[in-house]
Amino acid sequence: MSEIRLLVGLGNPGPEYSHTRHNAGFWLVEQFARQHGQTLQPEVKFFGHTARIQQGNLDLRLLLPMNFMNRSGQAVATMANFYKIAPEQILVAYDELDLPPGTAKLKTGGGTGGHNGIKDIVAQLGSPDFHRLRIGIGHPGDKSRVTGYVLGKAPAAEQQLMDDTITQACHSIKLLLEQGMTAAQQHLHSFKAQRE
């Protein structure tokens, strides 16, 4: 039984960003909320949209920070402090350039990988010890093209790979909550989205 009390999805607010690769974390948390019959609602004091899932022993808060990506930590730290949630009880889902579309990885702690949202969360929490769910979006091949790439929309085939992966990742979060990190990692890391 993993003691995850806060699931965070990273992205940028506003309709112009909603379908961009950088919002993969938002997509995952929104889907997880839907699967549990919840809708994320604006909550000004937490600088984001929130929901709560309570089932049996499970009491999980969901958060989409509505500051921009590089200010994500404010929402996460505010909510964590308010509910006395330790970094080790937080799972953050976000887009990962270094993984191809159709893959996702779960890990605990580690560096920021240059991800501005993760950098800010580490800074605001004062700890890198939270869990991460990295959703592969692929890399444009050149550093100078990264910004346009992450803020762009994926072609339909790539989007389908990411959607399939997010469905599997939601299942792995369920395993994480019920059976722990190892079961969740085994499920997620063995999954390979079917490329057409």
Side-chain angles (χ1 to χ4, degrees):
M1 233 341 247
S2 180
E3 177 66 350
I4 300 286
R5 295 177 53 208
L6 173 58
L7 173 62
V8 180
L10 299 189
N12 283 310
E16 68 273 35
Y17 294 108
S18 62
H19 298 293
T20 63
R21 292 178 177 94
H22 221 12
N23 277 32
F26 273 17
W27 304 337
L28 179 135
V29 172
E30 287 163 350
Q31 181 165 326
F32 194 79
R34 277 196 305 274
Q35 288 175 355
H36 291 83
Q38 299 295 325
T39 309
L40 291 125
Q41 302 290 346
E43 182 120 31
V44 176
K45 72 176 175 183
F46 295 130
F47 308 98
H49 292 183
T50 70
R52 186 178 185 185
I53 297 169
Q54 291 176 288
Q55 292 176 343
N57 298 329
L58 177 62
D59 187 359
L60 181 68
R61 293 181 186 276
L62 310 182
L63 172 65
L64 301 179
M66 284 293 146
N67 295 349
F68 281 89
M69 183 68 85
N70 59 354
R71 300 277 314 285
S72 301
Q74 182 184 22
V76 178
T78 302
M79 198 169 198
N81 291 337
F82 187 85
Y83 291 114
K84 302 197 171 17
I85 298 171
E88 301 78 40
Q89 297 174 311
I90 300 172
L91 174 61
V92 180
Y94 60 99
D95 57 303
E96 174 59 77
L97 286 159
D98 294 332
L99 293 174
T103 54
K105 299 275 185 208
L106 267 167
K107 69 171 190 171
T108 302
T112 65
H115 193 288
N116 290 333
I118 298 297
K119 277 185 200 166
D120 196 55
I121 293 171
V122 170
Q124 296 286 339
L125 288 177
S127 167
D129 294 339
F130 51 92
H131 307 285
R132 295 104 187 272
L133 203 169
R134 297 148 57 218
I135 302 158
I137 62 166
H139 197 287
D142 191 277
K143 213 163 64 173
S144 64
R145 292 172 51 208
V146 163
T147 301
Y149 181 81
V150 298
L151 295 178
K153 294 182 182 183
E158 267 180 41
Q159 186 65 51
Q160 187 60 54
L161 289 172
M162 290 189 281
D163 292 346
D164 292 348
T165 304
I166 284 169
T167 299
Q168 294 298 324
C170 286
H171 184 66
S172 76
I173 293 171
K174 203 165 165 304
L175 288 173
L176 174 61
L177 296 166
E178 292 169 359
Q179 298 174 31
M181 180 60 88
T182 307
Q185 284 175 324
Q186 281 171 347
H187 172 79
L188 190 59
H189 299 177
S190 64
F191 167 75
K192 195 83 181 94
Q194 298 307 305
R195 291 179 176 273
E196 291 305 315

